[in-house]
Amino acid sequence: MVTREDLLRYAHENYGTQSEHPWPEYPLSEILRHERNRKWYALITDVSRNKVGLHGDEPIDILNVKCDPDMVLALSSQEGFSRAWHMNKKHWLTVILNGTVTDDEIYRLLDLSYELTK
């Protein structure tokens, strides 16, 4: 199961990205952005489970990535995904980091988001 730490390590090793914490009041919210154009390519945060269609209000880690609108539409109806929490729901997708989505798929989506925001 891919964790927050795995994603941060992957982003650093593959893109040279260090996460940023733009909101001091939300210390578990981290963004990944391109160094040159400063565009975000990912948000890693925790939200209440019910915010992403799961039962309960316990916190769960999520990853928001940019995708093609058709991909967002197709994946958001599958288990482990949701329309983007707190971002543009046409172009961003939430991946729930609970082991439902395969590691390879998560890294593929992060790579795609990185490329789309170059």
Side-chain angles (χ1 to χ4, degrees):
M1 179 173 92
V2 172
T3 65
R4 164 190 298 268
E5 292 76 19
D6 295 331
L7 289 168
L8 295 173
R9 185 173 32 260
Y10 183 88
H12 180 68
E13 290 172 359
N14 289 277
Y15 316 125
T17 305
Q18 292 290 337
S19 70
E20 298 175 29
H21 296 84
W23 308 286
E25 65 274 19
Y26 302 107
L28 293 180
S29 293
E30 303 179 71
I31 61 169
L32 299 173
R33 73 166 90 210
H34 293 272
E35 189 173 315
R36 276 203 183 139
N37 67 16
R38 305 302 291 157
K39 288 184 180 180
W40 296 15
Y41 65 91
L43 165 69
I44 304 167
T45 192
D46 66 324
V47 298
S48 297
R49 295 171 62 84
N50 58 24
K51 300 245 188 235
V52 291
L54 301 175
H55 296 295
D57 11 339
E58 302 84 21
I60 191 165
D61 282 341
I62 62 167
L63 167 70
N64 281 354
V65 289
K66 188 163 190 173
C67 293
D68 174 85
D70 292 335
M71 183 179 279
V72 171
L73 188 60
L75 290 176
S76 63
S77 64
Q78 295 180 22
E79 187 177 3
F81 298 99
S82 173
R83 294 245 177 191
W85 176 83
H86 200 62
M87 295 181 84
N88 180 304
K89 292 174 182 7
K90 181 177 180 182
H91 296 280
W92 289 81
L93 177 73
T94 290
V95 182
I96 302 167
L97 300 177
N98 65 355
T100 303
V101 180
T102 67
D103 296 4
D104 287 344
E105 179 75 358
I106 292 171
Y107 291 127
R108 186 180 70 78
L109 289 167
L110 187 60
D111 291 339
L112 175 63
S113 186
Y114 182 84
E115 290 300 317
L116 287 173
T117 54
K118 260 176 147 169

